[in-house]
Amino acid sequence: MGRFDGLPIREELKSFEPYGAPQLDVPVLLNVNENPYPPSEETVADIAGSVAEAARGMNRYPDREFLGLRADLAAYLARESGAQLEPEQLWAANGSNEVMLHILQAFGGPGRTALSFAPTYSMYPEYARDTNTAWVAGRRAEDFTLDRSKAIAAISRHRPSVVLLASPNNPTGTALPIDVTEAIVAQAAALGSVVVVDEAYAEFRRAGTPSAMSLLPAYPNLAVSRTMSKAFAMAGGRVGYLAASKQFVDALRIVRLPYHLSAITQAAARAALRHSGELLGRVERLRVERDETVDWLRSLGLRAVDSDANFVLFGTFADRHAVWQALLDDGVLIRETGPDGWLRVSIGTSEEMAAFRASLERILKTDTGRLS
Ligand code: PMP
């Protein structure tokens, strides 16, 4: 008996499980790259007041074009990256996951291809699958960087309609140099493709690492996507967004469901943006903790990838699942992801990182922690 017997589920979906990391009730949660610091009571009160105001008008549908939120996001990006954007160049949805689904709905589809470079974010092939878009994954180099000429050759060979580039990349933490990004976007423009630079972790980038926002004025085929789930400490609010040309955004407006962003979501996001100083205030601390984590892992003889994000990929273990499980037995949940042998740890509070370090040190002294 199959799970879906009697139901006309699409053939290509039959073998899948719903995507997602285990949600376990353990003391130290370092598995989904959240910001470990909750909002202050003052910010909570402002969000609650704004949501209450939205509730008073909840008999009506929300503002379908959410231009207030789009203007606030444009103002935020001007402060954060110096980007000069009109509200009509912004787009938002329930997480950057939904933003990217809109992109695949508008630019992918049967007979079309989406391309990225592995290892990368494991939802990308799912957006492609769900929109009947063919999926092609080129390879990153051994050190997880992207070779410019190989990337361009892959685009010329496969002629994808959508190229997805995560920078900083998940799960490796690797940011793309701006000249590599620009060369890819220019090649895509010449072939009539769009490029999405997924900057979900951009606020954690190291000093001197540029954002692809600076390329927007020159390339109408480019979108730079961001999220409020990571640095912004609002994963539970489900707000992701992108910046692009007006034409690009207009294409997404065709495929979105009417009123996809609820009045509650819009109100909460706008209130959170008023408190961006506080919410992003912990980013510097997390960056320092991240760099210290990389140094500490290397001092133990482990490999740790340089990271511009709020997580570190490290290893390599003979049996990574056993290491993941042993950490979990100590109450520390990290992520079993990336190429074989590697594990990914999100950067938490100093106390959480101390618990992670103590547990891993213990495991490394046992047979379970054998390196490969
Ligand atoms: N892009 C990348 C690279 C991610 O790692 C994530 C979350 N893990 C997302 C996008 C989606 O985040 P959200 O939908 O919460 O905005």
Side-chain angles (χ1 to χ4, degrees), residues 115-245:
L115 172 90
S116 191
F117 298 92
T120 192
Y121 184 38
S122 35
M123 275 301 293
Y124 294 162
E126 303 221 359
Y127 312 140
R129 179 200 68 196
D130 293 348
T131 55
N132 269 309
T133 309
W135 170 249
V136 175
R139 295 298 307 172
R140 286 172 173 263
E142 273 295 297
D143 62 358
F144 306 123
T145 57
L146 196 53
D147 181 88
R148 177 202 319 227
S149 47
K150 284 193 184 141
I152 286 177
I155 293 169
S156 304
R157 186 161 66 250
H158 297 289
R159 298 192 158 251
S161 53
V162 181
V163 180
L164 294 158
L165 301 174
S167 178
N169 184 42
N170 181 6
T172 65
T174 321
L176 288 174
I178 197 78
D179 56 313
V180 174
T181 308
E182 181 161 17
I184 292 172
V185 177
Q187 171 72 358
L191 295 174
S193 312
V194 297
V195 177
V196 187
V197 180
D198 178 355
E199 293 194 347
Y201 301 96
E203 288 94 344
F204 295 107
R205 66 193 187 272
R206 288 172 291 182
T209 305
S211 159
M213 292 284 170
S214 61
L215 300 176
L216 284 173
Y219 295 100
N221 67 322
L222 169 66
V224 182
S225 106
R226 295 275 184 107
T227 182
M228 294 184 77
S229 300
K230 309 294 179 183
F232 234 98
M234 222 182 106
R238 307 305 300 129
V239 184
Y241 58 100
L242 63 67
S245 61

Side-chain angles (χ1 to χ4, degrees), residues 38 46 79 151 170 222 313 359 364 367:
D46 196 21
R79 293 199 299 280
N170 181 6
L222 169 66
L313 192 72
S359 174
L364 285 171
D367 191 46

Side-chain angles (χ1 to χ4, degrees), residues 7 24 29 36 48 50 67 97 114 135 169 171 177 188 282 291 308 359:
L7 298 177
L24 304 175
L29 293 172
S50 301
L67 279 164
N97 275 156
W135 170 249
N169 184 42
R282 269 50 179 267
D291 293 341
D308 277 283
S359 174

